[in-house]
Amino acid sequence: MDTTIEVRGHYDNGVGTSSAASQGAVTADLIANRPALRPGELLEFVPGVIVTQHSGDGKANQYFLRGFNLDHGTDFATFVDGMPINMRSHAHGQGYTDLNFLIPELVDRINYKKGPYYADEGDFASAGAAHMTLANRLRDNTASVSVGENDYLRAVVTGSTPLGAGSLVYGAELGHNNGPWVTPEAFHKNIGVLRYTQGASDQQFSVTGMFYKGAWHASNQIPLRAVREGALDEFGAVDPSDGGDTSRYSVSATMRKRSSDALLQANAYLVQSSLTLFNNFTYFLDDPVNGDQSRQHEKRRMGGFDVAQTWFSHWGGLDVSNKVGVQGRYDYLSPLSLYATRNQQPLRAISESRVKQGSVGAYLENTVQWRDWLRTTAGLRYDRYRFDVDSDIAENSGKVSAGTTSPKLSVVLGPWARTEFFVNYGEGFHSNDARGTTVHLTPKEREPIDPVTPLVKTRGAEIGARTEFLPGLQSSVALWKLRSDSELVFSGDAGDTSPSRGSYRSGIEWNNHYIANSWLLFDLDLAYSRGHYTEHDEAGDHIPGAIGKVASFGATITDLGPWSAAFQMRYFGPRPLIEDNSRRSATTAIAYARVGYKFNRRWSAQLDAFNLFDRRVSDVDYYYASRLPGEAAEGVEDVHYHPAERRTFRLTVKATF
């Protein structure tokens, strides 16, 4: 079989398919062949992305990319069938991105972009964006059961069947996991998906309904000093009553209509979600008697749309496309609250708000093929936001409006010898929590404070190249930089992100996909970045959590007789934990592996191993002050970390029907 076809069976990153060296796509074939410890690790198919966890499997993951500790998703936009997953003005953290509602077997494709160079990308997309699409039909109907250590259990049914003029896709999942924690995590989740699609790719319509419910006991980060002194097991918890529960219900619709000279794309969505989190990050620092546990709670209703029309034409013999798009979103949160608690029992209200937040974005994009070797894409985007906060602290109520304009430009040169070159520039933004835009008194101490900037500007540029010069190899390299007017960093005392100084980052990425033969695929992705604050402070100019070195190596074997296998190693290097760089995180390297065997057309099995070499490493590290019983009132500055799970195995048996 032709090598290029084989490469595109896993990726759609060939010459001529993108506007930047860092843009690409991953297909369902590769997704199905690699093991994943958690659903959020789907985003690790985006080269350079690291996905970890610091507070239990039921909570949104921790994400890293391009020198960012993205916390739970800020500055990386994620979508599923056009629905934005990043949550604005969230109870726990701005841009909160929880992917636990996904059934990976139903994901058909992941289209990814990096940098603020695309007119159709708005809020949270400065570092990058990932668009996941669900399958319109499945090759097979399947039922599988996975079992593993620590009472891990996962049962999944997926399939599709003709219905009328279209196809009905369905999926259901039940899951449970205790993990290695001294207090069993008891993470239990239920997922259901029902999707109807009709038409081919040029005339397509779909409607999708999804539901998800989950509950768990948290495995929060722990103080290193307590583990070293033997006072706490490495899989223990200072406050074992931490935990959470969540739910998500959605209905969405997409439409695509293509003719010889035009393309209409549209989607709309309605989402109702809720989340309750009990977290205690500082233990007894603020309240020596009851402890510092808090309850963060929200109930959200969200709706929105995205409509884009593209016209294809010829201007003076040049191929030209012009695209116009409008996007809207409205979030209503009531209640949005923060309570002081002890063993999950409320002690006092810290703040409670009702938030209404709406936005409209409009953009224009023009693409011209000037020569066989020269293509340009120029865009202009405008976003307008309105924040309406009704707080139980009267001084923190109010209404604020803000807008921002974002120009974009991409130049593609080539191809020459199956190699093309890219130059990209763009401006973007992320929104801040609505409560921060109207705040005048701190919720805890009731001290005066200035409101934050509603929309934070970012500016980025990139030069890169992609080549398929060597048969079977797709290779790309990108040098990039990104400036932000205000950095969001983790606050140990609050347990979420808070605005800080402006920042500047730069780096280089090298991504490689190589098909050695019809059954063997290799991947190698390397990234290096540097970051610092642009405003000097005596405390230091390093950005806490700014990841520097990232590497990922993978080998995938498919259809080697009845056998299949996969190996994946990921590495992320040390990073500053405080501004003066005097405390740095440890290095983390973890390997996953899979061996699969197909008994016959109907039955197959696979064995997955996570943390294959049983490395004692951390998922995430922070440095801040906390207080354990008996310590000084001012607490102790220390590393707080979440250990990666030790080596664990999971066996899956699957039936095809």
Side-chain angles (χ1 to χ4, degrees), residues 194-460:
L194 199 60
R195 175 177 173 85
Y196 178 76
T197 64
Q198 184 176 305
S201 58
D202 286 347
Q203 303 285 334
Q204 194 171 83
F205 172 77
S206 72
V207 178
T208 305
M210 309 177 76
F211 83 84
Y212 161 63
K213 294 190 72 174
W216 65 96
H217 299 301
S219 54
N220 277 325
Q221 66 253 26
I222 54 178
L224 181 61
R225 64 187 184 276
V227 178
R228 286 179 170 173
E229 293 166 1
L232 187 67
D233 187 274
E234 65 176 324
F235 295 110
V238 176
D239 191 339
S241 68
D242 286 354
D245 62 77
T246 187
S247 66
R248 186 185 189 278
Y249 304 87
S250 70
V251 60
S252 60
T254 65
M255 181 183 70
R256 176 184 170 92
K257 187 174 182 180
R258 174 76 185 256
S259 65
S260 60
D261 58 0
L263 171 63
L264 174 64
Q265 296 168 292
N267 67 69
Y269 52 87
L270 293 171
V271 179
Q272 178 174 300
S273 64
S274 66
L275 176 71
T276 301
L277 287 176
F278 293 93
N279 290 310
N280 187 346
F281 296 110
T282 51
Y283 319 127
F284 293 91
L285 183 65
D286 294 334
D287 188 337
V289 176
N290 296 300
D292 299 345
Q293 188 185 71
S294 64
R295 185 190 75 172
Q296 297 168 311
H297 174 71
E298 71 162 61
K299 185 173 183 179
R300 179 186 305 260
R301 295 179 178 88
M302 177 179 79
F305 66 89
D306 184 346
V307 180
Q309 175 77 41
T310 306
W311 293 272
F312 306 99
S313 57
H314 301 278
W315 292 357
L318 302 176
D319 291 334
V320 177
S321 67
N322 290 288
K323 184 177 183 179
V324 176
V326 179
Q327 300 163 343
R329 174 175 168 178
Y330 181 80
D331 292 67
Y332 176 70
L333 294 98
S334 180
L336 178 58
S337 62
L338 177 65
Y339 275 72
T341 58
R342 179 179 182 178
N343 294 325
Q344 298 193 3
Q345 299 304 307
L347 298 174
R348 63 187 181 279
I350 298 173
S351 68
E352 187 162 322
S353 304
R354 183 171 67 245
V355 172
K356 302 173 185 177
Q357 181 171 339
S359 67
V360 175
Y363 64 90
L364 305 171
E365 189 176 76
N366 167 261
T367 300
V368 181
Q369 188 74 50
W370 299 94
R371 296 288 187 270
D372 291 342
W373 51 269
L374 175 61
R375 182 174 81 249
T376 62
T377 300
L380 185 66
R381 180 183 181 95
Y382 180 75
D383 290 89
R384 190 73 184 174
Y385 278 62
R386 181 172 175 81
F387 306 87
D388 185 344
V389 179
D390 182 8
S391 173
D392 61 343
I393 304 172
E395 292 86 347
N396 290 345
S397 297
K399 299 178 182 179
V400 173
S401 295
T404 186
T405 302
S406 306
K408 323 276 185 174
L409 177 65
S410 296
V411 179
V412 183
L413 303 169
W416 298 288
R418 298 190 60 79
T419 302
E420 58 187 348
F421 302 89
F422 306 87
V423 179
N424 308 96
Y425 173 81
E427 298 181 9
F429 71 98
H430 71 244
S431 62
N432 272 327
D433 192 303
R435 293 166 293 180
T437 68
T438 61
V439 68
H440 291 89
L441 293 178
T442 58
K444 286 185 178 181
E445 298 83 7
R446 306 296 172 95
E447 296 177 351
I449 189 175
D450 293 328
V452 301
T453 303
L455 304 179
V456 176
K457 197 73 175 174
T458 59
R459 299 168 181 83

Side-chain angles (χ1 to χ4, degrees), residues 35-295:
L37 186 66
R38 308 176 180 99
E41 291 178 4
L42 282 169
L43 288 180
E44 286 197 347
F45 285 101
V46 179
V49 170
I50 293 293
V51 179
T52 66
Q53 182 56 273
H54 81 104
S55 189
D57 286 340
K59 193 175 173 183
N61 291 96
Q62 192 90 7
Y63 307 100
F64 296 86
L65 174 68
R66 285 198 163 182
F68 281 90
N69 176 355
L70 296 161
D71 193 51
H72 296 295
T74 303
D75 287 309
F76 188 85
T78 305
F79 301 83
V80 174
D81 267 354
M83 286 188 294
I85 308 305
N86 302 70
M87 294 300 182
R88 303 167 172 172
S89 303
H90 192 268
H92 182 69
Q94 181 70 344
Y96 189 86
T97 303
D98 184 2
L99 292 174
N100 279 303
F101 70 92
L102 271 181
I103 300 177
E105 289 87 344
L106 295 182
V107 176
D108 181 64
R109 187 181 178 92
I110 303 174
N111 295 303
Y112 61 84
K113 310 169 183 175
K114 300 178 194 173
Y117 321 129
Y118 307 92
D120 56 350
E121 303 293 351
D123 203 358
F124 303 122
S126 294
H131 292 256
M132 303 185 192
T133 57
L134 302 181
N136 293 327
R137 61 186 59 85
L138 297 175
R139 197 177 307 163
D140 299 300
N141 302 332
T142 64
S144 67
V145 175
S146 303
V147 294
E149 300 166 82
N150 305 310
D151 294 327
Y152 177 84
L153 174 66
R154 180 175 185 257
V156 182
V157 175
T158 61
S160 60
T161 183
L163 181 64
S167 179
L168 185 68
V169 177
Y170 57 88
E173 176 181 341
L174 295 175
H176 181 271
N177 187 26
N178 282 338
W181 318 106
V182 173
T183 300
E185 196 171 56
F187 176 41
H188 188 80
K189 66 177 178 179
N190 308 292
I191 305 175
V193 178
L194 199 60
R195 175 177 173 85
Y196 178 76
T197 64
Q198 184 176 305
S201 58
D202 286 347
Q203 303 285 334
Q204 194 171 83
F205 172 77
S206 72
V207 178
T208 305
M210 309 177 76
F211 83 84
Y212 161 63
K213 294 190 72 174
W216 65 96
H217 299 301
S219 54
N220 277 325
Q221 66 253 26
I222 54 178
L224 181 61
R225 64 187 184 276
V227 178
R228 286 179 170 173
E229 293 166 1
L232 187 67
D233 187 274
E234 65 176 324
F235 295 110
V238 176
D239 191 339
S241 68
D242 286 354
D245 62 77
T246 187
S247 66
R248 186 185 189 278
Y249 304 87
S250 70
V251 60
S252 60
T254 65
M255 181 183 70
R256 176 184 170 92
K257 187 174 182 180
R258 174 76 185 256
S259 65
S260 60
D261 58 0
L263 171 63
L264 174 64
Q265 296 168 292
N267 67 69
Y269 52 87
L270 293 171
V271 179
Q272 178 174 300
S273 64
S274 66
L275 176 71
T276 301
L277 287 176
F278 293 93
N279 290 310
N280 187 346
F281 296 110
T282 51
Y283 319 127
F284 293 91
L285 183 65
D286 294 334
D287 188 337
V289 176
N290 296 300
D292 299 345
Q293 188 185 71
S294 64
R295 185 190 75 172

Side-chain angles (χ1 to χ4, degrees), residues 46-50 64-67 114 476-478 480 506-512 524-530 547-552 571-573:
V46 179
V49 170
I50 293 293
F64 296 86
L65 174 68
R66 285 198 163 182
K114 300 178 194 173
S476 64
V477 63
W480 60 271
S506 60
I508 183 170
E509 298 171 335
W510 183 35
N511 305 319
N512 302 273
L524 176 64
D525 300 317
L526 304 174
Y528 173 75
S529 60
R530 297 183 300 177
I547 196 165
K549 300 173 185 177
V550 173
S552 175
Y571 163 93
F572 51 107

